[in-house]
């Protein structure tokens, strides 16, 4: 996988698909997911902007990195018109890297939602192939396919989108749950610009590996939060789906 | 109480007197695709405490025997609406889906309807003969309306206890909903609400769109609203609009 | 130091026997011969050296369990990952192949990542269709009051060629370790993967979760401040597993 370091001077600054997929206003169901933050707020471990930033650090480098790796791989596969077998391998391999069933469900639910939005806006043969494997594909794979099918964007863009969403989802939930100053929450996300860039570049470098060899970046504390969130759902009020 | 349709005084080219924005100035021209293989989806929205859940329960009781129906509720899960409906035993538990709205009830019914569509699809899979899905919004403000991608028709519920100025305030819920229900009219005298003002304002704001006044205390079956739903169902099943 | 140890266990007529055993210091394998296990399993103890792995060490253990055979591989003492005089980190790799109908329980003692150590631990298990597995890993980040070095661990389970679990973890920097969305400031990370005849429903408690995997099997994850607390949380997760009582007790 060769990474394009500089876009051609006359080329687009960024693909509209990439911007739209990273936009919180994309109607893909993301607004109902807090990425573990609601449970963290419930426990009193996130109370203000500083704790939010530290929460986001773990979000980005664990779950965010994992999602980025697979989004990049999916974009790589979509650009090469990968056969159906490849999509089913990516699906199985992502499952194997997410031990928490609550997180797998959250990823598939957001994937299904994003695919519903994507089917209308950016239909492609790759999306049809992916949807023929499962009607609820994992979110990073859907984003990867939608980005990869565009000629203006590639694996690194797909990785950056899901890495960014791994930050913006919990940050937006913090604003809603804690009444946090939205400027402070936004700044907490912005603090990870360099990290996100490095992580997206790294994900693009592994995008062409066989699915079984893609890196695994676990975050055990997030697994426990996700499981506790789901358990408490059945016992008491939770406003977010994850 | 009779349905107060207002066709008589709005013949001809009616304009809404208050025009908040272009999308709020009448029923959405881009209505959802009709599909013969899916149930009619009716949204029930309105401010907190206006009686959405009580109306939903009444419709389930009245229509449950004659129609294959199910409910999607957007209120805070496990505590209120879903449990209310289950306890009231108006509907089998498997016919109630609750969705999490991420503390943004209007987003889940309007801007990003993903979670609600997922819930509707789960109900359709579990109950293949489903004819009607009532989607109850979480309590919200007067600007909250259902996306036409989610609800084929929508009922906006306000109540007299919220003040008789509510219809005059307008907002897309009051002005564009396919049916406006003014609820708890039995309380009008006690809360000092002038029903004639409320109804006149409602009709003025809504043009030819129908308004029903009701009291579930006086008529627990919500007969007029149920009839309106029956008409909608009949239209839906007769629909010869293109099937996708 | 480069070390390659190997263990092959096969089923005899009514019990399991060691067919091949090659220790290679510092990895020493001791079959226990005192009495027969009720399960018919071969019990082998894995004895490390007190001063390994050191930076520069590369230790590999290959385990093969034949059809219908059963192995219980235990540790004897905690492993201390230490920095070495030579450049580069240390690496410990255990590869287990379990044929159809075979059973392996791998219950090593905790691995302690000491200050300035740079250790890479890998456990890869390839299972046949109806093989059974229980493997535990307890990582301790630093001796009491000590800032840990870096540990990268990888647990990979495949059954009949399909990935059940690929669980990588990097202790990374202290800010990341303290993040509640990463390690939550825990000093001990313990996991137990169980692929047995039945899978559990998901279940969780304070500091632990028992999580059924998508392709079968389950992973218990525990975060705790000390090894004793981690052990009792793993025990609670076992209690919630429908096959928990069929597993060999941890302290044997």
């Amino acid at each position: 996988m060769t990474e394009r370091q500089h876009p051609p001077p006359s080329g687009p600054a960024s693909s509209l698909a990439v911007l739209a997929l990273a936009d919180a206003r994309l109607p893909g169901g993301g607004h109902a997911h807090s990425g573990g933050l609601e449970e963290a707020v419930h426990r009193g471990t996130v109370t203000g902007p500083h704790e939010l930033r530290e929460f986001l650090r773990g979000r980005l480098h664990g779950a965010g990195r994992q999602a980025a790796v697979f989004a990049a791989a999916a974009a790589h596969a979509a650009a090469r018109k990968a056969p159906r077998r490849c999509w089913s391998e990516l699906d199985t391999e992502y499952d194997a890297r997410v031990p928490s069933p609550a997180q797998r469900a959250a990823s598939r639910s957001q994937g299904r939602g994003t695919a519903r939005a994507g089917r209308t806006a950016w239909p492609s043969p790759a999306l049809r192939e992916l949807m023929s494997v499962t009607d609820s594909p994992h979110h990073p794979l859907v984003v990867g396919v939608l980005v990869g099918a565009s000629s203006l964007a590639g694996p690194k863009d797909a990785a950056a989108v899901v890495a960014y969403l791994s930050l913006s989802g919990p940050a937006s939930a913090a604003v809603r749950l804690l009444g946090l100053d939205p400027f402070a929450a936004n700044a907490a996300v912005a603090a990870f610009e360099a990290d996100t860039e490095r992580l997206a570049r790294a994900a693009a470098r592994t995008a062409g590996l066989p699915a079984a060899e893609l890196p695994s970046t676990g975050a055990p504390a997030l697994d426990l939060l996700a499981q506790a969130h789901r358990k408490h759902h059945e016992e008491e009020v939770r406003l977010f789906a994850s | 109480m009779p349905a107060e349709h207002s066709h008589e005084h709005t013949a001809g080219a009616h304009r809404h007197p208050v025009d908040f924005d272009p999308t709020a100035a009448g029923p959405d021209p881009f209505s959802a695709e009709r599909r013969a293989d899916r149930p009619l989806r009716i949204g029930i929205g309105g401010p907190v405490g206006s009686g959405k859940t009580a109306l939903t329960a009444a419709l389930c009781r009245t229509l449950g025997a004659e129609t294959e129906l199910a409910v999607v509720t957007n209120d805070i899960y496990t505590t209120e609406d879903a449990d209310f409906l289950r306890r009231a035993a108006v509907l089998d538990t498997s016919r109630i889906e609750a969705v999490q709205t991420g503390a943004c009830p209007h987003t889940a019914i309007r801007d990003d309807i993903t979670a609600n569509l997922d819930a509707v699809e789960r109900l359709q899979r579990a109950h293949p003969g489903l004819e009607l899905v009532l989607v109850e919004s979480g309590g919200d403000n007067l600007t909250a309306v259902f996306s036409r991608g989610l609800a084929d028709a929508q009922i906006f519920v306000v109540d007299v206890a919220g003040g008789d100025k509510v219809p005059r305030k307008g907002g897309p819920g009051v002005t564009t909903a396919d049916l406006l229900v003014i609820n708890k009219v039995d309380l009008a005298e006690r809360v000092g609400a002038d029903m004639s003002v409320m109804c006149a304002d409602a009709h003025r704001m809504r043009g030819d769109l129908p308004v029903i006044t009701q009291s579930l205390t006086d008529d627990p079956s919500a007969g007029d609203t149920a009839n309106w739903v029956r008409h909608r169902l009949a239209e839906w099943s007769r629909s010869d609009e293109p099937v996708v | 130091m480069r070390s390659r140890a190997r263990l092959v266990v096969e089923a005899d007529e009514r019990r399991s026997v060691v067919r091949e055993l090659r220790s290679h210091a510092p990895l020493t394998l001791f079959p226990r011969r005192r009495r027969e296990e009720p399960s018919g399993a071969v019990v082998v103890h894995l004895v490390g050296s007190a001063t390994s792995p050191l930076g520069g060490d590369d230790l590999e253990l290959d385990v093969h369990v034949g059809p219908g055979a059963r192995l219980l591989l235990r540790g004897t003492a905690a492993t201390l990952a230490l920095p070495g005089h030579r450049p580069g980190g240390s690496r410990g790799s255990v590869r287990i192949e379990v044929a159809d109908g075979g059973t392996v329980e791998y219950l090593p003692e905790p691995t302690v990542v000491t200050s300035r150590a740079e250790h890479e631990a890998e456990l890869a298990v390839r299972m046949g269709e109806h093989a059974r597995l229980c493997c535990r890993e307890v990582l301790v980040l630093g001796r009491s009051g000590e800032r840990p070095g870096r540990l990268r661990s990888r647990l990979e389970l495949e059954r009949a060629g399909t990935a059940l679990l690929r669980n990588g973890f990097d202790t990374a920097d202290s800010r990341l370790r303290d993040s509640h969305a990463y390690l939550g400031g825990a000093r001990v990370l313990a996991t137990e993967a169980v692929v047995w005849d039945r899978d559990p429903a998901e279940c969780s408690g304070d500091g632990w979760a028992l999580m059924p995997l998508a392709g079968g099997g389950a992973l218990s994850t525990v975060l705790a401040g000390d090894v004793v607390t981690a052990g009792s949380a793993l025990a609670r997760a076992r209690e919630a597993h429908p096959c928990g009582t069929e597993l060999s007790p941890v302290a044997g």
Side-chain angles (χ1 to χ4, degrees):
Chain A
M1 163 72 222
T2 52
E3 196 183 305
R4 195 178 59 222
Q5 295 292 333
H6 303 288
S10 60
S14 197
S15 136
L16 188 138
V18 168
L19 298 173
L21 285 164
D23 188 344
R25 290 178 191 169
L26 179 89
H31 75 97
H33 293 267
S34 81
L37 188 103
E38 184 175 23
E39 181 65 22
V41 165
H42 176 75
R43 293 179 182 194
T45 52
V46 175
T47 54
H50 172 75
E51 293 93 342
L52 173 64
R53 196 181 68 208
E54 293 313 305
F55 183 89
L56 295 180
R57 188 183 305 284
R59 252 320 276 177
L60 179 66
H61 286 279
R65 183 182 295 269
Q66 189 67 84
V69 161
F70 275 73
H76 179 90
R80 278 152 192 77
K81 304 188 172 40
R84 187 173 184 279
R85 175 184 48 80
C86 167
W87 298 113
S88 102
E89 275 171 18
L90 283 168
D91 186 74
T92 307
E93 291 288 340
Y94 194 73
D95 264 347
R97 283 162 183 76
V98 186
S100 150
Q103 286 191 76
R104 289 197 299 272
S107 166
R108 288 192 183 278
S109 145
Q110 290 176 81
R112 182 187 172 86
T114 303
R116 189 188 275 117
R119 232 173 14 218
T120 314
W122 305 283
S124 72
L127 184 61
R128 276 196 298 280
E129 285 289 340
L130 175 63
M131 299 300 287
S132 78
V133 171
T134 163
D135 65 357
S136 303
H138 283 295
H139 181 247
L141 299 185
V142 175
V143 171
V145 163
L146 296 177
V147 170
S150 154
S151 60
L152 302 177
K156 192 199 140 195
D157 303 293
V161 167
V162 295
Y164 166 70
L165 289 174
S166 80
L167 298 170
S168 67
S172 155
V175 170
R176 283 178 266 167
L177 289 169
L178 294 165
L180 214 63
D181 173 1
F183 307 117
N186 188 53
V189 172
F192 292 102
E193 166 133 20
D195 291 39
T196 303
E197 175 69 17
R198 271 197 301 275
L199 189 151
R201 280 176 190 275
R205 281 195 297 273
T206 57
L209 290 177
E213 292 169 32
L214 291 169
S216 159
T217 61
L222 194 66
D223 293 347
L224 297 192
L225 281 180
Q227 291 305 113
H229 181 102
R230 187 135 101 169
K231 180 179 174 186
H232 289 147
H233 239 301
E234 284 147 26
E235 295 166 356
E236 51 191 288
V237 182
R238 281 292 182 275
L239 300 174
F240 288 81
S242 78
Chain B
M1 218 154 290
E4 297 181 23
H5 294 265
S6 50
H7 301 269
E8 61 285 355
H9 64 91
T10 56
H14 170 80
R15 302 288 307 165
H16 290 289
V18 182
D19 200 356
F20 291 92
D21 78 56
T23 60
D28 187 333
F30 307 103
S31 52
E33 295 158 338
R34 293 198 168 182
R35 301 180 61 140
D37 59 346
R38 75 155 172 83
L40 172 68
R41 305 195 290 243
I42 293 185
I44 300 179
V48 180
S50 59
K52 296 181 296 297
T53 307
L55 174 60
T56 305
L59 291 175
C60 290
R61 263 194 304 271
T62 307
L63 300 171
E66 62 196 76
T67 308
E68 284 280 324
L69 67 82
V71 170
V72 176
T73 172
N74 281 259
D75 216 334
I76 292 173
Y77 184 32
T78 70
T79 47
E80 293 301 331
D81 293 3
D83 280 1
F84 179 88
L85 295 174
R86 284 172 193 138
R87 272 201 307 277
V90 292
L91 213 55
D92 183 75
T93 304
S94 75
R95 289 175 181 268
I96 304 169
E97 279 276 342
V99 302
Q100 286 78 46
T101 64
C104 281
H106 56 270
T107 303
I109 60 161
R110 186 186 61 202
D111 313 81
D112 183 352
I113 56 179
T114 303
N116 273 291
L117 288 179
D118 283 341
V120 168
E121 285 168 12
R122 280 195 296 275
L123 288 166
Q124 277 176 249
R125 271 199 302 273
H127 305 282
L130 211 55
E131 297 164 278
L132 172 65
V133 179
L134 300 175
V135 183
E136 187 200 336
S137 79
D140 212 312
N141 59 46
L142 293 171
T143 66
V145 286
F146 283 86
S147 156
R148 297 277 164 182
L150 174 61
D152 304 302
Q154 51 192 304
I155 302 174
F156 198 74
V157 184
V158 297
D159 72 309
V160 299
D164 56 16
K165 283 193 283 299
V166 166
R168 198 184 317 152
K169 286 181 184 167
V174 166
T175 57
T176 73
D178 300 286
L179 173 66
L180 178 71
V181 170
I182 300 177
N183 204 10
K184 307 185 194 174
V185 293
D186 53 307
L187 299 180
E189 212 166 305
R190 240 181 298 167
V191 299
D194 186 333
M195 283 312 297
S196 62
V197 167
M198 263 188 119
C199 291
D201 284 347
H203 285 302
R204 190 169 52 80
M205 301 299 287
R206 289 173 54 74
D208 3 350
L209 293 168
V211 177
I212 286 177
T213 54
Q214 73 172 22
S215 156
L216 294 175
T217 313
D218 298 341
D219 175 14
S221 72
D224 295 329
T225 309
N227 272 334
W228 183 86
V229 173
R230 285 190 188 103
H231 284 300
R232 285 285 164 165
L233 266 171
E235 267 173 41
W236 182 257
S237 61
R238 278 199 309 270
S239 166
D240 55 358
E241 285 184 36
V243 171
V244 180
Chain C
M1 183 189 302
R2 188 166 176 277
S3 169
R4 298 287 180 265
R6 182 175 161 85
L7 172 65
V8 178
V9 172
E10 281 173 3
D12 207 339
E13 271 169 28
R14 47 173 286 276
R15 61 198 179 92
S16 301
V17 291
V18 174
R19 285 276 180 243
E20 189 185 336
L21 184 150
R22 194 175 72 220
S23 296
H24 190 165
L27 290 173
T28 311
L29 295 161
F30 280 114
R32 198 179 71 175
R33 301 180 196 280
R34 272 175 298 160
R35 60 179 163 80
E36 220 166 86
E37 281 288 303
S39 63
V42 158
V43 183
V44 176
H45 286 269
L46 177 61
V47 183
S49 135
T51 57
S52 81
L54 288 168
D57 282 355
D58 180 5
L59 317 178
E60 250 182 57
L61 169 64
D62 266 313
V63 178
H64 292 260
V65 174
R70 183 163 179 166
L71 165 69
L72 170 56
L73 181 59
R74 285 192 184 283
T76 50
T79 302
L80 276 184
L82 296 160
H85 299 297
R86 279 157 301 185
S90 52
R91 193 177 83 90
S93 163
V94 177
R95 295 175 175 276
I96 301 176
E97 283 200 20
V98 201
D100 199 0
T103 302
V104 172
E105 291 174 275
Y106 176 49
L107 303 172
E109 293 295 308
T111 298
V112 183
V113 187
T114 66
S115 167
R116 291 183 293 111
E118 202 184 322
H119 187 58
E120 202 182 317
E122 181 201 36
L123 171 60
V125 186
R126 290 188 182 16
M127 309 172 66
E129 183 86 49
H130 299 288
R132 297 188 297 183
L133 167 82
C134 169
C135 60
R136 174 173 287 214
E137 182 180 49
V138 179
L139 303 173
V140 183
L141 305 183
R143 288 166 288 200
S144 186
E146 180 186 45
R147 283 172 72 93
R150 183 172 186 188
L151 173 95
R152 274 168 297 172
S153 80
R154 200 161 75 242
L155 167 60
E156 305 213 333
L157 305 184
E158 283 180 19
R159 181 166 64 183
T162 300
L164 300 185
L165 179 66
R166 298 200 202 277
N167 200 28
F169 182 70
D170 188 335
T171 58
D173 68 50
S174 67
R175 277 190 306 181
L176 200 44
R177 284 198 299 275
D178 287 341
S179 171
H180 290 283
Y182 197 77
L183 190 63
R187 187 171 147 249
V188 179
L189 163 62
T191 56
E192 187 166 74
V194 176
V195 185
W196 220 257
D197 304 331
R198 280 153 293 158
D199 288 326
E202 57 192 86
C203 186
S204 60
D206 193 15
W208 65 272
L210 170 63
M211 303 176 288
L213 302 171
L219 181 73
S220 304
T221 292
V222 169
L223 293 177
D226 61 82
V227 173
V228 176
T229 309
S232 54
L234 280 177
R236 279 197 293 283
R238 272 195 179 189
E239 280 165 25
H241 196 294
C243 302
T245 55
E246 296 168 32
L247 308 174
S248 297
V250 174

